[in-house]
Amino acid sequence: MEHKFRLSPKNPKSWGTFDNSFPLGNGKLGAMVMAQLGGGMDFISLNQDSLWHGPAQDRNNPDAIKYYKKIRELLKNGEVDEADKLCYMAMTSMPKYFGAYEPMGKMHMYFIHDDNITGLMKELDLQNGVATMDYKAGDLSIHREYFVSRPDNVFAIKITADKPELDVFFNVMRRPCENGTEILDNNILCMSNQCGVDGVKFTCSWSAKTDGEFSRIGDFIGCKNASEIIIYLTADTSFYTEDYKASAIKQLTDAMAKDYDTIKSAHVADFSALFHRSAIDFGTQNTALTTDRLENLRNGGDDPGFAELIFNYGKYLLISSSRPGCQPANLQGIWCDKFAPEWECNYTININLQINYWIAEIAGLSECHEPFFDLLERMVPNGERTARTMYGCDGFMAHHCTNLWGDTAIEGNSFPSSVWPVGGAWLCKHLWDRYLYTQDKEFLEKRAFPILKKAALFFSQYLDEAEDGCLVTGPSLSPENVYITDKGREGRHCMAPEMDNQIVRCLFRAVLGAYDVLGCHDDQYELFRTVHSKLRPTRINQYGSIMEWDKDYVERDPGHRHISPLFALHPDYEITPDLTPELAEACDKTIQRRLEYAAVASDRAAGSFQGWNGAWLSCCYSRLEQGENAMQTLLNIWRNPKALTDTLLNKYPVFQIDGNFGMAAAVAEMVISSDEYCVKLLPALPKLLKDGSFRGLCTRGGNVFDAEWKDGKLTKASFTARANGTCHIKAKGVTGADAPFELDGDFITITTEAGKTYHLCF
């Protein structure tokens, strides 16, 4: 099956905007292909993944260590105003901000042809990573093709026409602080620049070849009387390569020496191999134009295949923005056109960076997860410095956001989210998950375990003993939420917000699990066991919901966009309907309360769960095995004209790619879910998706599953084991397997051998 977006010409003017463009990338190079037709100027927004403003800095506030324990006492005594003030003064970083991720520039392309445009079609082939545009300008048929090659690290454009009448000229510019374009031999142009004082330096180089007339005038390249024009652009930076200019130019000259079809074939083979690792099929082949499908959904229509498209788009975006040796996907992947983007287009680690990678392992894209771990390893020495400087503790920790340099200080630009000591601990969950999915003991021993131990060591020294004898964090907060004190004042900071309790429990469960797998119990193992036993359990508040703060406060915004106290439900799995039904019910009530108030709340309070938070909410519903609610939550996003652009980028209120990744993960969660103990097949299947299949979806425990279902009932299911072990599966209607098994209702247990495939019976 081909997986394409096909856009109609109903509103071609919108295609010239950044948010309605097609994103292309190879992990390092990113391009947003915009199209303004009719003899005007086209833009292609260009990015390189390591272009961050300014240098690495030590921003840790040296006064934190003098005051954080005093802040604890103020919070315990109910003096929240004074605690908040001291947090701002003594805890937030110096300077308050780190530099933003920056665009590399824009390619400006001028097409001189008839303004009478007909037959317009714009497509993005998800499985091959190639964008195309076809149209007629007068009687001239034109085909444009764009892709960014990973094997050759080059952005390639090919323009062809049915007659030698193409007239195109173009250049590349960067604003502000343009350093100018250098003209080299062999018709190569390059632009070198720097991202602020002491920031990353880069060179972007480009050229073209044609069967028509080639010219270079000023910093423009022109091609006239042509039936074929091929443009190549490359880039490199001082972050990756000392002689980045020579590297960029060599990549370009190597590409120019190759045949275009050779470069394209290598790109397609590389991209499609990853894309086809996994697949979901909901039994319908809807070949309608994407804009028509959106219109149908927004008019209340159904489209089961749209869920499949969203899953595939999430895979596509991850493959395009996160490859081994590159940087992880930031708030906009690698597609940013602003020099002062929202939230610095950074790595926000109180949900946003993590949600970008929720599909990496389940979709069989472990390679795409690698940049996440590279960044985490880069953060560790900085986090050790932050732990010592701010808290006087050993080990590793990080707060709520980071950047290219792995910054771990407390950023000062978003006070209700900044003083939050568990960001690094949440990142560590991905280390443990990588092992659980792949059963890769070498990764666990050499990369994951050392970081898990350092994170656990920090908390073993940092945690404070509460009146009930539990060990708790603080000062901290529930990300971006605010409560009302007994005195009627707004409070931000507290001891032991519930999300902290859940994340720290998750961390210690992971490090103890790693000890058991590796069989290397040392003195720290006993320390960590003791700490784990004293961590505060989840509590239920006056509304029957999960208690969000250390006390049963009333929240300022009951419909708040973050659902932080549900971390233990998703992305963790400490709370499940099977094992902890009372807490699962409290999670359900938490969601009900959020939605009830979000429906009438101000934009400041909650928005309406139309972005990453809606995707997270859908995942939580799936964990509660409420398929209809999980599906409706996604439909609410898809049917909102403000939430999805014509090219399906999530934009509520601004483009953030975590919404796209989160929606893809939410689709997967409806058909398969797993934890350390059990795999659930079709745990939250809605009626809309009653027929379908999936292939190559991976689970914790190291198994790769295929399944088919009809009218909501499984008809086939099999899995291949990656390691020797035991696979415990919950599959409604299962009666046995083609190997020795134990059956208990809908639960079947099979002892597995690495490399073997097992089939379930229904």
Side-chain angles (χ1 to χ4, degrees), residues 30-41:
M32 270 286 198
V33 179
M34 298 173 248
Q36 296 178 353
L37 298 173
M41 182 170 59

Side-chain angles (χ1 to χ4, degrees), residues 554-565:
V554 174
E555 56 267 64
R556 183 191 69 184
D557 304 321
H560 195 268
R561 64 190 176 277
H562 281 253
I563 48 175
S564 302

